[in-house]
Amino acid sequence: DARVTQTPRHKVTEMGQEVTMRCQPILGHNTVFWYRQTMMQGLELLAYFRNRAPLDDSGMPKDRFSAEMPDATLATLKIQPSEPRDSAVYFCASGFEVNTEAFFGQGTRLTVV
Amino acid sequence: GENVEQHPSTLSVQEGDSAVIKCTYSDSASNYFPWYKQELGKGPQLIIDIRSNVGEKKDQRIAVTLNKTAKHFSLHITETQPEDSAVYFCAASKGSGGYQKVTFGIGTKLQVIP
């Protein structure tokens, strides 16, 4: 069945290292979202793509985070350099057009030590 | 920007009782209001949604109401079951012309006691 696939599921890294998280959206979906989930802040939108074009990255720390969609089957979120405060669960979600159901992946649990 | 407030943060009910979660939003331009359920270790999953031109929607034991004038919407779960235990998120979305802005509430942890 169709699902959003995120890799890796878990990542432990040292402060200062580069982290790359990958997402394969559901085939045919044209919107992709990256969210960060923490206990304190809940679900925060980091980036939003439509038809592979970045339309909103206002929630993303620009100095260390970057999000791209090299092609329709792959979205990436990079953190360089990583910091302990980046520890969180990062979710990718995809959907078909605006204001419709977003299908979430299982998430990547990132721990920066 | 949009601000979504959700309460209560935790809710315990006896199996078979009803559960109600309430959300308020600030941006009158928001026009789509989904509710997501998140089980431990999984991503959120849509359980019901409502659009701004509808006041109420029901799907079996789940219902959502929307009051645009007061800018609040609520989730109602009747005849709760232990498998309803999870974290529930409301969201307010403003979408037009291909652009979408989604803001989530902080979440409600629902515990259904057998």
Side-chain angles (χ1 to χ4, degrees), chain B residues 5-64:
Chain B
E5 295 189 357
Q6 181 175 348
H7 57 94
S9 56
T10 60
L11 179 60
S12 290
V13 299
Q14 292 288 331
E15 181 178 356
D17 287 350
S18 295
V20 179
I21 302 170
K22 299 183 179 182
C23 289
T24 60
Y25 62 100
S26 60
D27 190 342
S28 57
S30 289
N31 52 10
Y32 174 62
F33 305 90
W35 286 87
Y36 287 83
K37 175 183 180 182
Q38 185 177 24
E39 297 176 338
L40 199 61
K42 297 184 178 180
Q45 184 174 12
L46 182 81
I47 54 171
I48 196 167
D49 56 10
I50 192 167
R51 300 186 185 277
S52 57
N53 59 347
V54 176
E56 185 174 358
K57 185 176 179 181
K58 191 174 181 180
D59 182 4
Q60 299 183 343
R61 297 186 296 107
I62 295 172
V64 58

Side-chain angles (χ1 to χ4, degrees), chain A residues 9 33 35 37 40-43 45 48 50 55-56 58 91 97-102 104-106, chain B residues 31-32 36 38 41-44 46 49 51 89 93-102 104 106:
Chain A
R9 291 292 313 277
F33 305 83
Y35 288 95
Q37 185 174 39
M40 294 301 295
Q41 300 296 328
L43 277 163
L45 179 67
Y48 163 59
R50 182 174 179 266
L55 296 189
D56 186 356
S58 57
F91 286 103
E97 277 305 347
V98 300
N99 278 2
T100 60
E101 177 178 2
F104 282 76
Q106 296 274 59
Chain B
N31 52 10
Y32 174 62
Y36 287 83
Q38 185 177 24
K42 297 184 178 180
L46 182 81
D49 56 10
R51 300 186 185 277
F89 293 93
S93 176
K94 178 169 58 177
S96 64
Y99 178 79
Q100 181 174 4
K101 186 76 173 181
V102 184
F104 280 84
I106 198 68

